[in-house]
Amino acid sequence: EDDKRAASESHGSLLYGELLPRGVNKALDARHLDAQRASTLYDLGMGTGKVAMQAFLQFPNLKRVYGVELSLARYKVAERAVLKLASADARQLAVHSHTPGASIAVKNVATQQLLHVAHGNLMATRDVERANIIMYRDRRPTRPSRDERGHGF
């Protein structure tokens, strides 16, 4: 209910479309978004954070990977996963900052690469213009509604 209220108040949506690891590989490969040549990736509407974490781990050249999610429940899944990732590789990764339920940032101590995930409205995301890659998944109807076709019936 809290997620529904937050979505309604921010004119957002809780529709969720998940990219699987194979799809992320393809999206970020040299023929598509070319993440190998990028330095910053934003994942707007990150869901549980899988794309942001995969990009962070797969492309050490990405100096900053940022994800934001409107749904608190989905954000909390991402937050737990990022904490687990940091604890699994404590010599390489360190929690840079953490405000439970709001945001967490993990830094690779060797490369200074930063993974930052946050709970919030993607429309309030700052510094988007700095991103080389912006991941945003949207689900739209495949055919126009009756109102869009001009038939009121």
Side-chain angles (χ1 to χ4, degrees), residues 4-70:
K4 287 180 183 177
R5 185 173 42 258
S8 177
E9 289 171 0
S10 67
H11 304 285
S13 172
L14 293 177
L15 289 175
Y16 186 63
E18 184 175 11
L19 273 174
L20 299 175
R22 187 173 177 180
V24 174
N25 282 338
K26 185 172 183 176
L28 297 178
D29 72 16
R31 290 184 18 188
H32 297 90
L33 296 174
D34 201 7
Q36 193 64 45
R37 296 184 184 270
S39 63
T40 307
L41 180 145
Y42 276 44
D43 188 4
L44 306 178
M46 70 171 183
T48 59
K50 292 178 185 178
V51 171
M53 285 189 289
Q54 181 177 340
F56 176 76
L57 293 169
Q58 190 171 339
F59 296 96
N61 58 288
L62 290 172
K63 294 301 177 194
R64 182 163 193 241
V65 175
Y66 176 79
V68 63
E69 175 55 43
L70 179 63

Side-chain angles (χ1 to χ4, degrees), residues 39-148:
S39 63
T40 307
L41 180 145
Y42 276 44
D43 188 4
L44 306 178
M46 70 171 183
T48 59
K50 292 178 185 178
V51 171
M53 285 189 289
Q54 181 177 340
F56 176 76
L57 293 169
Q58 190 171 339
F59 296 96
N61 58 288
L62 290 172
K63 294 301 177 194
R64 182 163 193 241
V65 175
Y66 176 79
V68 63
E69 175 55 43
L70 179 63
S71 163
L72 182 59
R74 291 181 194 141
Y75 166 76
K76 285 183 176 182
V77 171
E79 180 181 46
R80 285 191 302 271
V82 170
L83 282 169
K84 188 174 181 178
L85 176 67
S87 67
D89 195 2
R91 290 190 337 207
Q92 189 80 6
L93 302 175
V95 175
H96 181 66
S97 65
H98 186 203
T99 304
S103 73
I104 183 168
V106 171
K107 187 174 265 192
N108 181 313
V109 295
T111 66
Q112 300 301 298
Q113 182 187 26
L114 185 72
L115 169 63
H116 181 196
V117 299
H119 171 243
N121 186 337
L122 67 88
M123 299 304 283
T125 301
R126 296 177 186 210
D127 299 326
V128 175
E129 68 277 1
R130 293 183 179 183
N132 302 112
I133 298 173
I134 298 172
M135 302 293 289
Y136 173 74
R137 292 162 302 286
D138 190 11
R139 186 169 175 209
R140 299 196 184 260
T142 55
R143 47 181 239 182
S145 70
R146 285 183 280 186
D147 291 337
E148 291 170 324

